[in-house]
């Protein structure tokens, strides 16, 4: 198969360095999946995607309370399946300078507990980017590793060629 419209580099980075959380059923499962991933992950942040509260038994997004129990040593940032929400732990908020006194950015909202403290839920890209901008860039070697890793996965299912239309936001041009 030849795929003529693919965000291959973005997909490769996600498949290699982030956790797909679409199959997680509850907070305990979330903890297990992230902990297992982190044992194999040498990146300084734990990144995830495809979390959806409607797939969880709890029927809500996890807050800093749940994510801090998973890791207090590495920042966590998980993007919702809609890409309009994200959740993060206390360390990610701290690194990003988000406190009780931080104002909501234009077009975004920082979720808060009743006492005004940030709860780790970020609404819309404007708020998500307050944290995402602190995630370290991928190195050229990490790009190469991710592309090689994902190429092998694609090949196994019969995809031999892709047209990468970009989309990482920070594509490598070297």
């Amino acid at each position: 198969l030849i795929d003529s419209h693919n965000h291959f580099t973005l997909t490769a980075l996600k498949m290699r360095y982030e956790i797909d959380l679409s199959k997680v059923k509850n907070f305990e499962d979330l903890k297990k999946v992230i902990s297992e991933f982190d044992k194999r992950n040498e990146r300084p942040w734990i990144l995830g995607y495809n979390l959806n509260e409607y797939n969880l038994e709890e029927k809500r997004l996890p807050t800093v309370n749940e994510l801090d129990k998973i890791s207090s040593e590495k920042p966590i940032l998980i993007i919702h399946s809609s890409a309009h929400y994200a959740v993060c732990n206390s360390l990610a908020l701290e690194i990003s300078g988000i406190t009780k006194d931080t104002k909501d950015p234009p077009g975004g909202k920082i979720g808060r507990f009743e006492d005004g403290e940030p709860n780790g839920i970020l609404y819309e890209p404007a708020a998500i980017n307050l944290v995402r901008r602190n995630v370290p860039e991928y190195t050229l070697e990490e790009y190469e590793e991710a592309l090689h890793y994902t190429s092998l996965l694609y090949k196994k299912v019969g995809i031999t060629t892709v047209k990468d239309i970009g989309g990482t936001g920070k594509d490598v041009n070297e």
Side-chain angles (χ1 to χ4, degrees):
L1 291 172
I2 296 173
D3 188 336
S4 63
H5 181 111
N6 194 300
H7 300 269
F8 186 69
T9 303
L10 177 62
T11 301
L13 292 169
K14 278 185 153 190
M15 290 180 78
R16 180 63 185 95
Y17 300 114
E18 298 183 24
I19 315 163
D20 181 357
L21 298 167
S22 59
K23 303 236 185 311
V24 170
K25 301 294 182 205
N26 55 47
F27 292 166
E28 191 58 38
D29 193 23
L30 180 70
K31 181 179 181 178
K32 179 182 170 201
V33 169
I34 291 175
S35 296
E36 287 174 3
F37 174 82
D38 191 38
K39 289 175 187 171
R40 305 181 313 270
N41 176 35
E42 295 180 17
R43 300 261 315 143
W45 282 60
I46 298 169
L47 303 174
Y49 62 99
N50 276 341
L51 185 65
N52 188 319
E53 70 275 26
Y54 297 108
N55 295 337
L56 300 174
E57 292 170 6
E58 293 85 356
K59 299 299 181 205
R60 68 175 178 83
L61 291 171
T63 65
V64 293
N65 296 334
E66 289 84 24
L67 295 180
D68 285 351
K69 291 176 185 173
I70 297 171
S71 179
S72 60
E73 296 181 17
K74 276 189 178 181
I76 298 173
L77 177 63
I78 299 169
I79 307 297
H80 189 270
S81 59
S82 70
H84 288 274
Y85 313 115
V87 294
C88 61
N89 66 353
S90 295
L91 185 54
L93 290 173
E94 181 183 325
I95 289 168
S96 303
I98 298 173
T99 68
K100 185 177 188 172
D101 299 322
T102 304
K103 304 279 187 237
D104 289 338
K109 181 181 172 194
I110 299 166
R112 299 178 189 278
F113 292 115
E114 287 184 17
D115 65 0
E117 289 293 333
N119 66 11
I121 302 173
L122 306 168
Y123 300 91
E124 299 301 335
I128 296 167
N129 289 337
L130 295 174
V131 173
R132 191 185 338 229
R133 68 181 177 208
N134 296 293
V135 175
E137 297 285 330
Y138 292 105
T139 66
L140 183 56
E141 291 77 23
E142 288 170 326
Y143 270 89
E144 290 172 349
E145 180 184 333
L147 292 168
H148 178 73
Y149 171 82
T150 306
S151 294
L152 295 175
L153 295 176
Y154 273 41
K155 185 178 175 184
K156 282 183 184 178
V157 296
I159 300 174
T160 61
T161 307
V162 297
K163 165 93 171 84
D164 190 337
I165 61 167
T168 64
K170 297 176 182 177
D171 293 314
V172 173
N173 292 319
E174 297 177 18

